[in-house]
PDB file of all heavy atoms in Angstrom:
ATOM      1  N   THR A 625      25.149  -9.293  -5.149  1.00  0.00           N
ATOM      2  CA  THR A 625      24.470  -9.847  -3.985  1.00  0.00           C
ATOM      3  C   THR A 625      23.239  -9.004  -3.695  1.00  0.00           C
ATOM      4  O   THR A 625      23.141  -7.855  -4.138  1.00  0.00           O
ATOM      5  CB  THR A 625      25.381  -9.838  -2.744  1.00  0.00           C
ATOM      6  OG1 THR A 625      25.682  -8.474  -2.415  1.00  0.00           O
ATOM      7  CG2 THR A 625      26.668 -10.619  -2.985  1.00  0.00           C
ATOM      8  N   GLN A 657      23.203 -19.812  -5.655  1.00  0.00           N
ATOM      9  CA  GLN A 657      23.927 -19.788  -4.381  1.00  0.00           C
ATOM     10  C   GLN A 657      25.370 -19.371  -4.662  1.00  0.00           C
ATOM     11  O   GLN A 657      25.997 -19.877  -5.599  1.00  0.00           O
ATOM     12  CB  GLN A 657      23.910 -21.197  -3.754  1.00  0.00           C
ATOM     13  CG  GLN A 657      24.252 -21.228  -2.303  1.00  0.00           C
ATOM     14  CD  GLN A 657      23.119 -20.711  -1.438  1.00  0.00           C
ATOM     15  OE1 GLN A 657      21.958 -20.927  -1.746  1.00  0.00           O
ATOM     16  NE2 GLN A 657      23.446 -20.016  -0.393  1.00  0.00           N
ATOM     17  N   CYS A 658      25.908 -18.471  -3.887  1.00  0.00           N
ATOM     18  CA  CYS A 658      27.284 -18.009  -4.040  1.00  0.00           C
ATOM     19  C   CYS A 658      28.236 -19.163  -3.707  1.00  0.00           C
ATOM     20  O   CYS A 658      28.064 -19.837  -2.688  1.00  0.00           O
ATOM     21  CB  CYS A 658      27.545 -16.822  -3.118  1.00  0.00           C
ATOM     22  SG  CYS A 658      29.242 -16.220  -3.164  1.00  0.00           S
ATOM     23  N   ASP A 661      30.373 -18.170  -0.411  1.00  0.00           N
ATOM     24  CA  ASP A 661      29.658 -17.953   0.847  1.00  0.00           C
ATOM     25  C   ASP A 661      28.242 -18.512   0.703  1.00  0.00           C
ATOM     26  O   ASP A 661      27.394 -17.905   0.055  1.00  0.00           O
ATOM     27  CB  ASP A 661      29.621 -16.453   1.172  1.00  0.00           C
ATOM     28  CG  ASP A 661      28.968 -16.141   2.498  1.00  0.00           C
ATOM     29  OD1 ASP A 661      28.397 -17.060   3.131  1.00  0.00           O
ATOM     30  OD2 ASP A 661      29.006 -14.964   2.910  1.00  0.00           O
ATOM     31  N   ARG A 662      27.986 -19.647   1.297  1.00  0.00           N
ATOM     32  CA  ARG A 662      26.702 -20.341   1.143  1.00  0.00           C
ATOM     33  C   ARG A 662      25.526 -19.526   1.689  1.00  0.00           C
ATOM     34  O   ARG A 662      24.383 -19.788   1.354  1.00  0.00           O
ATOM     35  CB  ARG A 662      26.744 -21.708   1.846  1.00  0.00           C
ATOM     36  CG  ARG A 662      27.867 -22.583   1.415  1.00  0.00           C
ATOM     37  CD  ARG A 662      27.591 -23.555   0.313  1.00  0.00           C
ATOM     38  NE  ARG A 662      26.384 -24.313   0.433  1.00  0.00           N
ATOM     39  CZ  ARG A 662      25.646 -24.646  -0.611  1.00  0.00           C
ATOM     40  NH1 ARG A 662      25.987 -24.267  -1.813  1.00  0.00           N
ATOM     41  NH2 ARG A 662      24.561 -25.363  -0.456  1.00  0.00           N
ATOM     42  N   ARG A 663      25.803 -18.519   2.508  1.00  0.00           N
ATOM     43  CA  ARG A 663      24.731 -17.681   3.046  1.00  0.00           C
ATOM     44  C   ARG A 663      24.306 -16.587   2.072  1.00  0.00           C
ATOM     45  O   ARG A 663      23.306 -15.916   2.265  1.00  0.00           O
ATOM     46  CB  ARG A 663      25.171 -17.024   4.361  1.00  0.00           C
ATOM     47  CG  ARG A 663      25.487 -18.010   5.465  1.00  0.00           C
ATOM     48  CD  ARG A 663      26.160 -17.332   6.618  1.00  0.00           C
ATOM     49  NE  ARG A 663      27.460 -16.834   6.159  1.00  0.00           N
ATOM     50  CZ  ARG A 663      28.231 -15.975   6.808  1.00  0.00           C
ATOM     51  NH1 ARG A 663      27.832 -15.492   7.965  1.00  0.00           N
ATOM     52  NH2 ARG A 663      29.386 -15.604   6.332  1.00  0.00           N
ATOM     53  N   THR A 664      25.085 -16.401   1.011  1.00  0.00           N
ATOM     54  CA  THR A 664      24.860 -15.315   0.066  1.00  0.00           C
ATOM     55  C   THR A 664      24.290 -15.853  -1.241  1.00  0.00           C
ATOM     56  O   THR A 664      24.630 -16.946  -1.671  1.00  0.00           O
ATOM     57  CB  THR A 664      26.193 -14.583  -0.218  1.00  0.00           C
ATOM     58  OG1 THR A 664      26.750 -14.148   1.011  1.00  0.00           O
ATOM     59  CG2 THR A 664      25.997 -13.393  -1.115  1.00  0.00           C
ATOM     60  N   VAL A 665      23.437 -15.059  -1.860  1.00  0.00           N
ATOM     61  CA  VAL A 665      22.841 -15.402  -3.145  1.00  0.00           C
ATOM     62  C   VAL A 665      23.376 -14.434  -4.194  1.00  0.00           C
ATOM     63  O   VAL A 665      23.430 -13.231  -3.968  1.00  0.00           O
ATOM     64  CB  VAL A 665      21.296 -15.308  -3.069  1.00  0.00           C
ATOM     65  CG1 VAL A 665      20.664 -15.513  -4.423  1.00  0.00           C
ATOM     66  CG2 VAL A 665      20.761 -16.302  -2.056  1.00  0.00           C
TER      67      VAL A 665
END
Side-chain angles (χ1 to χ4, degrees):
T625 64
Q657 197 74 35
C658 177
D661 183 352
R662 305 267 314 144
R663 298 169 295 167
T664 304
V665 174

